[in-house]
Amino acid sequence: MTQLRWFITGCTSGLGEAFVRSILARGDKVVASARGDVSRLSSLKDAGAEVISLDVTSSPSDIQAAAAKVLKGGPIDVLVNNAGYIEAALAEEASYDNYMSQFETNFFGVIKTTQAFLPHFRERKSGTIVFIGSSGGIAGEPGAAPYCGTKFALEGWHDCLKQETAHLGIKSVLFELGFFRTKIMHPENVRTFRAPGIADYEHIRNMVGQFVEGMNGHQPGDPKKAVEVILDFVRAEGVAEGKMLPDRFPIGTDCLATLRKKCADTLVVCNEWEHVIRSTDWE
Ligand SMILES: NC(=O)c1ccc[n+]([C@@H]2O[C@H](COP(=O)([O-])OP(=O)(O)OC[C@H]3O[C@@H](n4cnc5c(N)ncnc54)[C@H](OP(=O)(O)O)[C@@H]3O)[C@@H](O)[C@H]2O)c1
């Protein structure tokens, strides 16, 4: 396969960092980005990546300027919308600011970054866009209302985008990840679950706190393996050789269980209630 040039958001740790290292190991080029000082990416630069500063919550014009700078160095073949974090708050307790902050990064940050690169992909009539979704975008869980909201929103937005851009030679795929061992659940990164809140929810808040603490560092998924699968799909090699790029793809045993349960539950409703569901059409 010809050498590809990738652009990745959120490369200081976890999946983003793993993407950069695996991409370089496969002989592709990569522009790694992170918010703040690019010296945070010095080890990736030393490994061979180009680096640039990008906070995905920046204004559309600032993100377009960053994309223009990246494209000055050559075309981009693959955009990976990776940057994100967890705002772990209950649906009623989460403040408007909690929701806005979470959507600014995980949803609007993705839209702005994708929109900044789409003119380039349209002009070239090619390009692949990778979205990092979550099992939290398949089924909600207590204590993750803002996060799950963003990942569900991403699923819908991607479905629309995919159909609107397919005729332009642009491919896109949303990977739904289960729990993977990165810094995402580190107490410094998970926001808000310790905040005092409504007494009626105390037991749920405590349960969520214990779950996050117990899961941090013990997630079943290995981020390097997830990234290798994603690279196989984008490059149509390895496990994805000769396969079509799917619209969405679950990664991780826990995510598979979540998806299977949702499919089964959905089919039960469709099958048991079909006569009622169909009963509302005009005669
Ligand atoms: N790990 C999992 O279990 C899991 C499961 C499903 C989906 N995901 C998704 O995978 C993606 C990567 O997460 P991860 O697990 O690798 O976690 P991580 O190790 O915490 O990495 C998150 C990355 O996103 C960056 N980031 C956060 N806000 C940003 C912003 N406004 N602008 C630019 N970069 C920003 C962080 O940069 P800073 O260092 O500056 O904070 C960091 O580089 C996220 O979208 C997450 O929702 C992860």
Side-chain angles (χ1 to χ4, degrees):
M1 192 187 193
T2 52
Q3 189 182 48
L4 303 177
R5 185 165 176 256
W6 300 58
F7 178 75
I8 326 268
T9 62
C11 296
T12 59
S13 63
L15 291 157
E17 183 181 352
F19 266 116
V20 176
R21 296 195 186 282
S22 293
I23 288 165
L24 292 171
R26 291 208 194 191
D28 281 352
K29 292 181 176 177
V30 59
V31 184
S33 69
R35 59 181 162 179
D37 196 327
V38 283
S39 65
R40 301 177 73 207
L41 299 173
S42 56
S43 76
L44 295 179
K45 191 176 178 189
D46 292 345
E50 301 167 64
V51 295
I52 187 170
S53 176
L54 178 66
D55 184 330
V56 299
T57 65
S58 307
S59 68
S61 58
D62 282 355
I63 296 181
Q64 283 157 19
K69 202 171 158 187
V70 169
L71 294 170
K72 255 191 165 180
I76 285 292
D77 302 290
V78 191
L79 162 66
V80 182
N81 285 296
N82 169 71
Y85 76 98
I86 298 177
E87 192 88 36
L90 276 64
E92 182 180 349
E93 290 183 349
S95 67
Y96 178 74
D97 286 348
N98 291 144
Y99 282 110
M100 286 308 290
S101 162
Q102 182 75 103
F103 272 81
E104 277 297 340
T105 301
N106 291 15
F107 184 63
F108 293 112
V110 174
I111 292 179
K112 285 184 273 186
T113 307
T114 305
Q115 286 181 339
F117 282 92
L118 274 170
H120 173 66
F121 292 148
R122 282 192 289 106
E123 195 183 334
R124 297 183 78 213
K125 297 270 182 289
S126 76
T128 302
I129 309 170
V130 172
F131 296 91
I132 306 297
S134 167
S135 54
I138 296 172
E141 289 191 22
Y147 182 75
C148 293
T150 61
K151 295 296 185 180
F152 266 79
L154 207 52
E155 296 263 352
W157 191 77
H158 169 245
D159 271 352
C160 300
L161 176 83
K162 189 174 180 74
Q163 293 171 65
E164 291 164 5
T165 54
H167 70 289
L168 300 168
I170 299 170
K171 299 178 194 164
S172 60
V173 52
L174 187 148
F175 291 96
E176 295 156 329
L177 273 68
F179 290 100
F180 279 79
R181 212 168 295 174
T182 67
K183 288 188 183 164
I184 201 159
M185 288 190 135
H186 190 278
E188 279 174 17
N189 292 340
V190 176
R191 295 200 211 158
T192 66
F193 74 84
R194 284 188 183 77
I198 300 166
D200 286 340
Y201 299 126
E202 198 176 342
H203 62 296
I204 301 179
R205 221 172 17 256
N206 289 340
M207 185 193 72
V208 173
Q210 283 167 15
F211 176 80
V212 172
E213 273 165 27
M215 184 60 90
N216 179 37
H218 298 98
Q219 294 96 327
D222 178 343
K224 288 189 188 122
K225 290 184 181 171
V227 160
E228 292 297 337
V229 169
I230 295 172
L231 262 60
D232 277 354
F233 271 112
V234 171
R235 293 176 54 88
E237 62 191 24
V239 297
E241 190 173 353
K243 308 271 190 209
M244 290 275 290
L245 192 67
D247 293 350
R248 48 169 61 76
F249 190 85
I251 303 186
T253 308
D254 52 331
C255 185
L256 184 62
T258 302
L259 184 56
R260 278 197 200 286
K261 183 177 183 315
K262 179 160 181 175
C263 292
D265 291 351
T266 304
L267 279 177
V268 166
V269 171
C270 292
N271 294 336
E272 287 190 6
W273 293 91
E274 184 169 350
H275 61 294
V276 176
I277 295 165
R278 286 184 182 279
S279 69
T280 53
D281 292 353
W282 290 104
E283 290 302 326

